[in-house]
Amino acid sequence: MASRSQRRSPRRSPRRSPRRLRGALVCAAAAAVALVISLVVAFRPDHQAADGQEVAASAASVRAKAPATTPNATPSPAKPSAGGSPSPTATPTPTASKSKPKPKPKATPKPTPKPPVTSGGGTATAADRPASGAAPLGGWIQPGTTYKGVATWYDTDGNGACLFGPSSDVMTAAMNTRDYETSKACGAYVRVRAANGASVTVRITNLCPGDCLPGQLDLSPQAFAKLAAPVTGRISITWTLVSPAVANPISIRYKDGSSKYWCAIQVIGHRNPVARLEVRTSSGWVRLARTGYNYFLSEKGTGCGGPIRISDIYGERVTTDALPVRAMVVQPTRVQFAAH
């Protein structure tokens, strides 16, 4: 039996260092990758020297580790550029701005309507102007306004351009062209005053032609005699529109030649000047045009023989029943305008 000193421990195999083992593995992997890449490059039909450089850089990047990122990192705010404006990548924070209240526009003053021009070249005074809204459909002649002019006289039987026909009412007058206003003055009542204080109320039945000045009235001999002696021939006057009491209601007359295919309608015996006339149709009320001979014309027979709606200068409307088309026959109604 051998002594202890002669015994030998069994021989152990040498251990390799872990660090060297990892290095070897990395080298082997890198070599394999490089070999594969080299083969790929070698067999590319259009490879160039520059491509080899790019591939080498790619192979080298295989071993590079991606930089670690911090989760939920908060980006730093963009710094303003030298000019003071934020850089293009920065998103400006919206700021609530207080808008200043817009100044209210100043009200534009309404122009003052010009008063009527009198025949003597003057104007009506402020006290003579009509109240606002007194006659919404009024024309040149307005209620409450005093007009200045002259009065003359002529022989008449009450008939004239208004085509009312001869009348037993001798207190009539012809109106100058301007104030006649395409027959709008027909049937109007005006009170005429002379400088001596005398007055008379007349109804407009005729048109005084161009030799009559604005504001002038050509009276019947009987009416002129109420103001001055007929031998005087011409006097200064003032006159105003009036709304007298009348006993009878309004009447309607169709002109000669009227039928259901064409008609012209006239209003007779109205207390206040007529502003418009409308006829009833299946589609509603239709306004008819006024003529210079004091008829309202329906050239295509629209509304002929149907109900009629009449408006005075104050805006009041009265409606008649349907009346048959009877040429030159005065047909009474049951309506009349209110007094003003």
Side-chain angles (χ1 to χ4, degrees), residues 59-116:
S61 66
V62 172
R63 294 172 294 182
K65 295 182 179 180
T69 58
T70 305
N72 302 327
T74 303
S76 58
K79 296 180 180 180
S81 61
S85 301
S87 62
T89 57
T91 303
T93 303
T95 304
S97 60
K98 296 181 179 179
S99 59
K100 296 181 179 180
K102 296 181 180 180
K104 296 182 179 179
K106 297 181 179 180
T108 304
K110 296 182 178 179
T112 303
K114 295 181 179 180

Side-chain angles (χ1 to χ4, degrees), residues 59-306:
S61 66
V62 172
R63 294 172 294 182
K65 295 182 179 180
T69 58
T70 305
N72 302 327
T74 303
S76 58
K79 296 180 180 180
S81 61
S85 301
S87 62
T89 57
T91 303
T93 303
T95 304
S97 60
K98 296 181 179 179
S99 59
K100 296 181 179 180
K102 296 181 180 180
K104 296 182 179 179
K106 297 181 179 180
T108 304
K110 296 182 178 179
T112 303
K114 295 181 179 180
V117 179
T118 63
S119 59
T123 59
T125 62
D128 296 329
R129 296 173 188 170
S132 176
L137 299 181
W140 187 266
I141 302 175
Q142 290 282 341
T145 301
T146 300
Y147 299 91
K148 295 180 180 180
V150 296
T152 52
W153 63 272
Y154 74 111
D155 289 322
T156 177
D157 58 359
N159 196 12
C162 295
L163 297 185
F164 287 132
S167 172
S168 58
D169 179 11
V170 295
M171 296 302 165
T172 61
M175 182 65 75
N176 65 84
T177 303
R178 186 197 67 179
D179 297 329
Y180 184 78
E181 197 177 359
T182 317
S183 77
K184 199 166 188 176
C186 285
Y189 290 88
V190 296
R191 180 175 291 117
V192 187
R193 293 184 181 276
N196 59 10
S199 66
V200 63
T201 298
V202 296
R203 184 169 65 105
I204 305 301
T205 61
N206 201 1
L207 167 66
C208 187
D211 56 345
C212 281
L213 300 174
Q216 182 174 347
L217 295 175
D218 207 11
L219 306 176
S220 66
Q222 296 86 345
F224 189 92
K226 296 283 186 180
L227 305 176
V231 293
T232 309
R234 185 184 184 95
I235 60 173
S236 297
I237 60 166
T238 60
W239 55 273
T240 57
L241 183 69
V242 294
S243 179
V246 291
N248 299 322
I250 290 173
S251 294
I252 296 295
R253 176 164 56 193
Y254 281 95
K255 197 177 185 302
D256 53 336
S258 295
S259 68
K260 64 179 181 180
Y261 304 106
W262 178 96
C263 69
I265 306 171
Q266 184 184 52
V267 185
I268 304 172
H270 44 89
R271 174 184 279 125
N272 306 318
V274 173
R276 62 181 58 168
L277 184 144
E278 301 164 284
V279 292
R280 183 71 174 271
T281 67
S282 57
S283 58
W285 292 100
V286 176
R287 183 178 176 181
L288 300 185
R290 188 170 204 156
T291 67
Y293 51 87
N294 194 32
Y295 276 84
F296 293 86
L297 186 59
S298 177
E299 293 185 306
K300 297 182 178 179
T302 302
C304 296

